[in-house]
């Protein structure tokens, strides 16, 4: 049985004092939760402070990006060991916004995944199709290539440590909504592709849904067989709404 994971991607929000205040509130609200893993991915500047604030609690800390080199002349980038040193356990890789605005490719995703794993970090690897790809009916091909190319050449042990997050980019800011059935269809497809790559590891890895997860729709999503949690944006920025997501009921 896969343990659900609720991950909050704070994107470019919250100063250090704001982040600490929110986590102080959240950790009290969810202190008794044992059946769901909880992850918060703040901005780089708040990672260390939140790692200290959540020490000894059931909240894990992650980063929103990583670079594949250990050190060097890479202005503005951050190395895997730096994230570990700051207190990270997880790292988001290949988010749709990184692909859209900053030139992330399946090749760079693969490099980052391997660098994260080599340093003991758990990668949360994002895949998903745009509105144009959905309407052109090419989304299965797009997602398959993202999975196969972004997660290629892993060892058996590494393949078991991956988390995949499906983001229907077409459902973000378009007025369109992915139904639980649409989400399940893609999650099952991702698991099938991963099983062809790494056999039984596909049954073990968690696949999160990342398309506008809210307290209002989380229960219906989590009823689906292949949906193992959420990669949450806006609803993770407030303690009460993120609490509701962590404490979802099937």
């Amino acid at each position: 049985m896969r343990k659900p994971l609720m991950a909050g991607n704070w994107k470019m929000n919250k100063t250090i004092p704001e982040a600490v205040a929110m986590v102080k509130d959240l950790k009290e609200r969810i202190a008794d939760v044992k059946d769901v893993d909880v992850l918060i991915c703040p901005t780089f500047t708040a990672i260390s402070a939140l790692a200290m604030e959540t020490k000894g609690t059931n909240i894990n800390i992650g980063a929103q990006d990583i670079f594949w080199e250990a050190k060097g002349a890479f202005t503005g980038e951050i190395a895997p060991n730096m994230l570990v040193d700051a207190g990270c356990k997880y790292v988001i890789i290949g988010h749709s916004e990184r692909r859209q605005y900053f030139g992330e490719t399946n090749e760079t995703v693969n490099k980052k995944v391997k660098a994260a794993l080599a340093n003991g970090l758990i990668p949360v690897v994002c895949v998903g199709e745009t509105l144009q790809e959905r309407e052109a009916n090419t989304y299965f091909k797009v997602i398959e290539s993202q999975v196969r190319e972004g997660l290629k050449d892993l060892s058996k042990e590494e393949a078991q440590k991956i988390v995949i997050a499906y983001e229907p980019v077409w459902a973000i800011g378009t007025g369109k909504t992915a139904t639980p059935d649409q989400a399940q269809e893609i999650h099952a497809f991702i698991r099938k592709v991963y099983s062809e790559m790494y056999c039984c590891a596909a049954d073990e890895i968690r696949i999160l849904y990342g398309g506008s997860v809210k307290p209002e729709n989380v229960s219906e999503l989590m009823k689906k067989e292949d949906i193992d949690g959420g990669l949450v944006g806006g609803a993770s920025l407030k303690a009460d709404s993120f609490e509701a997501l962590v404490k979802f009921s099937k």
Side-chain angles (χ1 to χ4, degrees), residues 122-136:
I122 300 172
V124 180
V125 184
C126 300
V127 301
E129 79 279 18
T130 65
L131 178 61
Q132 292 78 9
E133 290 161 345
R134 166 64 61 159
E135 291 180 340

Side-chain angles (χ1 to χ4, degrees), residues 81-132:
N81 66 316
M82 294 175 182
L83 295 179
V84 174
D85 186 48
C88 286
K89 183 177 179 181
Y90 292 78
V91 59
I92 298 171
I93 298 175
H95 191 278
S96 61
E97 290 156 3
R98 299 298 311 177
R99 294 177 189 263
Q100 180 180 355
Y101 300 127
F102 304 106
E104 193 83 88
T105 65
N106 294 336
E107 180 183 7
T108 58
V109 165
N110 189 243
K111 289 181 179 181
K112 291 179 178 185
V113 167
K114 290 175 180 175
L117 289 166
N119 285 269
L121 291 163
I122 300 172
V124 180
V125 184
C126 300
V127 301
E129 79 279 18
T130 65
L131 178 61
Q132 292 78 9

Side-chain angles (χ1 to χ4, degrees), residues 10-53:
W10 283 5
K11 306 189 180 184
M12 199 172 70
N13 291 288
K14 295 191 183 295
T15 61
I16 296 173
E18 290 170 343
V20 170
M22 193 279 205
V23 166
K24 280 181 182 288
D25 187 3
L26 179 66
K27 71 180 183 180
E28 294 179 3
R29 291 170 177 265
I30 66 170
D32 59 340
V33 173
K34 295 182 173 62
D35 56 348
V36 176
D37 285 337
V38 181
L39 169 63
I40 290 176
C41 297
T43 59
F44 289 133
T45 54
I47 288 172
S48 184
L50 292 196
M52 293 177 64
E53 188 62 41

Side-chain angles (χ1 to χ4, degrees), residues 139-184:
Y139 52 97
F140 284 118
K141 181 179 179 181
V142 168
I143 291 168
E144 180 169 4
S145 67
Q146 289 173 342
V147 173
R148 289 191 182 277
E149 295 171 21
L151 295 170
K152 67 182 180 179
D153 301 330
L154 304 180
S155 69
K156 178 182 177 181
E157 292 74 21
E158 289 173 335
Q160 295 171 343
K161 296 175 182 176
I162 299 292
V163 176
I164 298 177
Y166 167 57
E167 306 176 279
V169 184
W170 56 273
I172 301 172
T174 63
K176 299 176 184 289
T177 304
T179 66
D181 286 340
Q182 286 175 318
Q184 166 59 24

